[in-house]
Each structure stands twice: as C-alpha cells, then as structure tokens.
C-alpha cells in the first residue's frame, strides 16, 4: 500500500538532503565516534545468527553493507537506500554488494526472501511501525531483524503532552521499540544500549534484535 502523502514528502526531503551530503558522510571522525559503535553491534548480532541473505536498510554510502560482505561473507548482501547520491558513493565502495533503491516501508524484496535485515542510525527517519512490519514481511521464518536507533534515556515531555505515537524524528524508548517488534510479529531476543566510550554517551542509542517466528 502506498505511503501517505506527508510521509512521501518527508522521505523526499530526507533523500534530497543526503544526496547532497553524501560525500561528507564518510568523514573519519564522524564514522569512528558516531556510527561505528552501532555498526559493530549489528555485525556481532549477524555473526551470531549466521544468515545467508542480508539487507542493510538505509545503507547510506555502504560502509556497513561492505563490512558485512567482507567480514561475514554471506551468500548475498544488499544495500538499500532512497538517495541516489548515497548509492553512487556506495557503488564505488563495493561491486560485490547489490545496491538497490527503495524506502524502508516498501522494500524491493519478495516475501520471505531474506535471512536478516539490519539498519543503523536511520530508524528515526522511518515510519517505524510500517518499516518493522516490512522487515517481518521480507524475512524467512527464523530470520532476524536488528535495529540500532536513537533512544532517549529519559521521556520526551513534549511528546507525552502531544500524545503522538509517531512523528518524523521519533526516538523510541526501549519499551516502545519492543512493542514495535512484537506488534509486527517478532520475538525480541536481545535489547541493550550500544556500547560507547564514556565521553560519547551524549549519543544515546539502542540495539533491538527480533526473530521472525516459525509457522
């Protein structure tokens, strides 16, 4: 089912920004201190699960998808992003990863065609309930979804007053993340804060891992 018009407008705005910003995304300090700790957690989750077919959603310039291919050697690795600028950078990084265009809410995969889906540091841009349902759809029974997401350590008072369940910069709490997964049909098998150096703890993110139940 197509996403509502406000969602498409937000997706388009994000896509335009990252198409412009793609070259700066690979800055060493940004990757090392902001993005790599969350990516390390996803690599560890994948290593434990040992999937054959893996997709990195909102793959950006392909750093994580390339690491998955090089470090874990699954049968197939896909990097999916809506930004042509990001995918252009990604395609120059690896010819072994298959780079695809599409939003998290409408993935370019058949039902049950993947063994693992991961996404890092982009979940706040998604329509989160729709994206998690889509992760469930594309996974085979026993498949794993692992999401790292910005997650506040304290409740957002403005959100509590507004009563909004989702907004275009939503940073879910641990319990909200668990609910998103279980509502989609997943069994949550792990959830913890991403391990970071003490001086970078201003970045408060969470990894949640769920497994698609067998019939």
């Amino acid at each position: 089912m197509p996403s509502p018009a406000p969602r498409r407008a937000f997706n388009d705005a994000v896509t335009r920004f990252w198409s412009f910003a793609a070259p700066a995304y690979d800055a060493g300090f940004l990757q090392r201190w902001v993005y790599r700790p969350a990516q390390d957690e996803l690599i560890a989750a994948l290593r434990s699960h040992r999937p054959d077919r893996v997709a990195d959603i909102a793959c950006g310039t392909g750093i994580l998808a390339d690491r998955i291919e090089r470090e874990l050697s699954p049968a197939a690795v896909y990097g999916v992003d809506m930004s042509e600028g990001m995918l252009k950078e990604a395609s120059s990084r690896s010819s072994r990863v298959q780079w695809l265009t599409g939003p998290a809410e409408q993935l370019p995969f058949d039902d049950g065609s993947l063994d693992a889906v991961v996404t890092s540091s982009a979940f706040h841009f998604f329509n989160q309930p729709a994206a998690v349902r889509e992760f469930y759809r594309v996974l085979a029974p026993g498949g794993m979804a692992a999401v790292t997401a910005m997650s506040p350590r304290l409740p957002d008072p403005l959100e509590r007053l507004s009563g909004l369940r989702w907004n275009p910069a939503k940073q879910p709490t641990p319990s909200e993340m668990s609910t998103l997964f279980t509502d989609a049909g997943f069994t949550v098998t792990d959830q913890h804060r991403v391990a970071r150096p003490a001086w970078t703890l201003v970045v408060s993110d969470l990894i949640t891992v769920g497994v698609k139940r067998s019939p």
Side-chain angles (χ1 to χ4, degrees):
M1 179 179 296
S3 300
R7 178 64 207 174
R8 287 199 302 272
F10 180 67
N11 279 351
D12 289 346
V14 171
T15 300
R16 286 193 299 271
F17 170 77
W18 284 116
S19 292
F20 172 78
Y25 182 79
D26 288 350
F29 75 92
L30 191 65
Q31 288 297 324
R32 182 178 181 184
W33 300 118
V34 177
Y35 295 115
R36 189 177 179 94
Q39 294 171 359
D40 287 345
E41 296 271 10
L42 293 173
I43 292 285
L46 289 169
R47 184 173 282 114
S48 296
H49 199 73
R50 302 177 65 183
D52 286 331
R53 301 160 298 172
V54 184
D56 176 20
I57 311 305
C59 65
T61 60
I63 292 175
L64 176 59
D66 179 50
R67 283 189 64 191
I68 292 168
E69 195 282 325
R70 289 186 295 102
E71 297 178 27
L72 304 180
S73 301
V77 180
Y78 304 91
V80 183
D81 204 282
M82 295 198 312
S83 165
E84 294 296 336
M86 286 290 194
L87 290 174
K88 181 178 179 181
E89 297 284 329
S91 64
S92 67
R93 185 181 304 281
S94 173
S95 60
R96 295 179 296 276
V97 176
Q98 299 180 56
W99 307 107
L100 303 172
T101 304
E105 302 86 359
Q106 292 176 286
L107 295 175
F109 301 105
D110 293 335
D111 295 358
S113 60
L114 299 175
D115 303 304
V117 172
V118 299
T119 187
S120 176
S121 306
F123 194 66
H124 52 287
F125 290 129
F126 302 165
N127 179 324
Q128 294 162 4
V132 178
R133 289 194 300 269
E134 188 72 344
F135 297 168
Y136 189 88
R137 179 188 69 79
V138 301
L139 287 171
M144 180 195 80
V147 174
T148 63
M150 299 299 295
S151 178
R153 295 176 184 271
L154 296 173
D156 180 349
L158 294 178
E159 183 176 325
R160 292 179 66 182
L161 286 172
S162 70
L164 294 178
R165 179 176 173 80
W166 175 81
N167 63 66
K170 171 68 175 174
Q171 298 183 7
T173 65
S175 63
E176 288 171 337
M177 281 296 295
S178 293
T179 297
L180 284 168
F181 271 63
T182 56
D183 282 354
F186 287 102
T187 298
V188 175
T189 58
D190 186 26
Q191 186 182 76
H192 60 269
R193 292 283 172 186
V194 170
R196 291 183 174 276
W199 68 271
T200 65
L201 290 181
V202 65
V203 180
S204 179
D205 48 353
L206 182 79
I207 180 169
T208 303
V209 180
V211 172
K212 182 172 181 175
R213 302 165 187 165
S214 298

